[in-house]
Every structure is written in structure tokens, then in C-alpha cells.
Amino acid sequence: MKLLVCGGAGFIGSAFVHQRVAAGDEVRVLDALTYAGREENVAGLDVELVIGRVEDPDAVRQAATGVDAIVNFAAETHVDRSILDGQAFVLTNSLGTFTLLEEARRRGVRHLQVSTDEVYGSIREGAFTEEHPLEPSSPYSASKAGADLMVLASHHTYGQDVVIARGSNCYGPRQFPEKLIPVMTLNAAHGAPLPVYGDGRQVRTWLHVDDFASGIHAALVHGESGQAYNVGGENEKLNIDVVHRIIGLTGASESQIKHVEDRLGHDFRYALASDKLKAASGWAPRMDFDAGGLESTVHWYLDHPHWWRPLVDTPEYRAYYRRVYGREPDFAPAEV
Ligand code: TYD
């Protein structure tokens, strides 16, 4: 198969690219290489990298030449950034998806949309099925829900071949140090405060990035056109318990925990039922969060300072960190 992987130099996209190249697929990556997309994430792989934006019809048209399917990972993904400024989210996530859909339809190839559990909103008990209405609560999740609706509308209106894969919270190597696990790992290892939003009793279900990548491929190959498939993790955790585990794995101190002001509109809990994808494809997650998943991820960050240091040693990162946490990042000290 020849795939156009949009956002393939980012965290989840690059995990998918690594898997597909190893499996023998031909891959072309279209990536704007914004703050979270890096050439290094796909370095050494036999892939073609096209630098361009997904909302640019010319870039998309050129990049899509000769492909059998478009897989769209390209997105602004961080909720806290969307609360500070949502414009880039609408541009990349909503208009970008629309632009890719148009190109996929012109070519008559499948469009696989990578989405998130956050489009359903928060759930106190039980788990979301794909039938649940979309009730996003942050600018980020609203932009992703808008994209999902556009994808489904293209199927309804034109009979376009589309599939959506909605994942749980992902963790693993190469995640930008703004999400919970890398932020806590780097702070823990540097003896710095661990900024827990509110009481830390919010719940997330964790899915290893390689399991999400294999779930997306399962949806691409086995998914029925016009359908969404949940790709859920099976490790449900309170945020504060994840932080305790990271403290244990890094030899940090419990006294580093610092409860900070809660995120605006903070979703309490996400949970997905993945029976539909399992029945369609036999997919199941392989990596257990408690039996090696978190540990190997924490060690990856500790062993790869050359990967994360250039990302945090920038004025932009320090400015972001100051805006969200009201202090300098201790693992990226400003030069004096
Ligand atoms: P995050 O990794 O940003 O993913 P999402 O918002 O998509 O779930 O956050 C995961 C959880 O961790 C979420 O409940 C917010 C919380 N959190 C903190 O408590 N402190 C932090 O510094 C960060 C980044 C997240």
C-alpha cells in the first residue's frame, strides 16, 4: 500500500510511520514541522518527507499523487494551548481535514481520520461507544469534533470512503514535553515541582502509542466506510496515581508534588468501549501500562535528553511554560 501520512513527523504519526515502513508499506509523509513535528522522528526510515501544511490545497495535491489512502494525524493537540489560543486548532484540525477530504474524494481514495476520545466530552461512569453524541468541551476537542463531523458529512453527502479512529490518551516515546507524562517525568528527574492540576483525581485511560498505531491501521484496513471506531486503552488511572508511579520510577520525592490551579473546563474522565474495532479486526492493545508500558516510557525520556533538550531549550517553550505554570521550566534553564 502507498500511504500519505499527514502529520507523520509528530508523536502518534511517527509511531504509525515506523510500523508501516517495517511492515513494507510505501509511505510519504506530509508535515508542516511545527513545534511538535520533527524530521528526526522519522530519520533513518525509507520515507519521502514533504514539508507543507494540510490546509494548503496545492501542497496536499502534490503530496497525494499516486497514493492509495490518506491517513490524517496532522493536528494541534494540546488542550492547554487551545485554551490560551484556539486559532491554530481551527486552521489545522478543521480546515486541514476539510482540505485533505477534498483531495481524497478527487482521487477516490480512502480518508482515515485520526481522532480522539475527547470529542465525546467527559463521562462519569461506563465508557463511550461510537453512538454517543459529540459533546466536546475544549477548543481543541471542538476543533476535532468539527473535523469528525465534516468527515461523516462527506460520506453522507458524496458517499465518500472515510473511516474515523478515536483514541484514548496516548503515551510512549517522542511525545512533546507538554503532555502529562513527559512533563512529570522531566520535572521529577530534575527535582522540580510536579504541577498537578486541581486535586489530581481526574481519570484518563492510557493507550501505548504503538497500540494506537496498530488500531489505526486495523481501522484503515478493516473499517467500514462511513464508520467511526474507538481505539481504547485498558489502563484507567487517576492523574495523581500516574504521578506517584513516575516519582517511584525516577527516584523523585513525594514532596515535589504541587497542586496548582485547575485547567479551565477540565474534563473529569474519558473512557472508550472498543468492541466495534475488536469485532471488525481482532485488534487488541498489547502494552500494559503497569507491566512495563510506563516504565519503558519514563526510561526513554531519561535516556534521550538529546531528543527533548532542543525542544525545551527555546524561548517559545519557556514562554509557554511560564504562561501555563507561572514559572521557568527547571529542565530547560534560561541561559544567563
Ligand atoms: P494531557 O496529557 O494534557 O492530556 P489530555 O488533556 O488530552 O487528557 O493531560 C492529561 C491529564 O493530566 C489531564 O487531566 C490534565 C492533567 N495534567 C496535569 O495535572 N498537569 C499537567 O502539567 C498536565 C500537562 C496535565
Side-chain angles (χ1 to χ4, degrees):
M1 231 183 170
K2 184 162 182 175
L3 301 173
L4 176 62
V5 182
C6 305
F11 166 51
I12 307 174
S14 65
F16 180 81
V17 169
H18 278 261
Q19 269 185 14
R20 294 330 307 157
V21 169
D25 283 339
E26 212 179 313
V27 174
R28 186 179 298 140
V29 170
L30 173 65
D31 202 295
L33 300 181
T34 58
Y35 79 94
R38 301 179 80 195
E39 203 166 342
E40 190 185 325
N41 289 345
V42 291
L45 295 180
D46 185 16
V47 296
E48 197 184 331
L49 174 63
V50 179
I51 300 171
R53 302 196 62 92
V54 281
E55 69 273 17
D56 173 356
D58 294 333
V60 166
R61 183 161 292 203
Q62 272 188 16
T65 306
V67 300
D68 303 311
I70 295 178
V71 186
N72 182 27
F73 293 88
E76 294 288 335
T77 66
H78 194 46
V79 172
D80 294 316
R81 285 186 194 261
S82 82
I83 293 169
L84 294 173
D85 182 1
Q87 194 181 36
F89 291 73
V90 178
L91 208 60
T92 303
N93 303 0
S94 305
L95 183 58
T97 299
F98 172 76
T99 308
L100 292 171
L101 272 172
E102 292 282 289
E103 186 60 27
R105 191 167 81 252
R106 207 176 67 81
R107 292 187 181 277
V109 300
R110 173 162 278 199
H111 176 102
L112 186 298
Q113 177 70 6
V114 179
S115 184
T116 165
D117 53 7
E118 299 191 30
V119 296
Y120 298 118
S122 185
I123 187 168
R124 280 268 151 190
E125 284 172 8
F128 288 119
T129 68
E130 294 81 355
E131 310 309 317
H132 197 275
L134 306 190
E135 292 174 341
S137 35
S138 72
Y140 158 66
S141 52
S143 70
K144 291 295 287 183
D148 281 15
L149 292 173
M150 189 62 78
V151 169
L152 295 172
S154 291
H155 178 75
H156 184 82
T157 305
Y158 308 109
Q160 187 169 351
D161 184 7
V162 299
V163 176
I164 299 174
R166 297 185 178 131
S168 298
N169 278 66
C170 267
Y171 71 101
R174 299 191 295 269
Q175 187 171 34
F176 191 83
E178 61 190 354
K179 300 289 200 293
L180 179 73
I181 289 175
V183 162
M184 293 300 172
T185 301
L186 297 184
N187 278 313
H190 288 79
L194 302 169
V196 174
Y197 296 161
D199 62 7
R201 301 195 64 78
Q202 302 83 6
V203 178
R204 296 292 184 266
T205 320
W206 294 96
L207 175 67
H208 193 275
V209 67
D210 291 337
D211 286 327
F212 191 23
S214 67
I216 290 162
H217 184 252
L220 175 67
V221 173
H222 300 288
E224 192 187 319
S225 182
Q227 296 294 310
Y229 294 87
N230 290 341
V231 189
E234 293 176 353
N235 299 269
E236 193 170 322
K237 303 281 173 203
L238 300 180
N239 290 340
I240 190 73
D241 290 341
V242 174
V243 173
H244 286 305
R245 287 283 322 276
I246 292 173
I247 289 171
L249 289 166
T250 52
S253 159
E254 297 282 333
S255 65
Q256 286 171 240
I257 293 178
K258 186 173 173 227
H259 290 274
V260 299
E261 201 177 316
D262 209 349
R263 175 185 277 174
L264 293 177
H266 199 167
D267 281 339
F268 174 68
R269 176 174 174 266
Y270 303 131
L272 291 176
S274 314
D275 310 64
K276 187 173 167 183
L277 180 63
K278 287 178 174 171
S281 69
W283 172 84
R286 288 188 179 171
M287 184 69 93
D288 189 273
F289 190 79
D290 293 316
L294 181 63
E295 185 174 1
S296 59
T297 299
V298 165
H299 285 134
W300 188 88
Y301 289 99
L302 300 182
D303 294 344
H304 291 79
H306 60 277
W307 182 87
W308 55 261
R309 204 174 288 285
L311 298 178
V312 301
D313 263 344
T314 67
E316 289 75 23
Y317 184 80
R318 281 191 283 270
Y320 165 76
Y321 203 91
R322 274 196 302 274
R323 280 183 83 185
V324 174
Y325 300 107
R327 56 178 288 131
E328 295 291 328
D330 295 73
F331 47 86
E335 279 172 34
V336 275

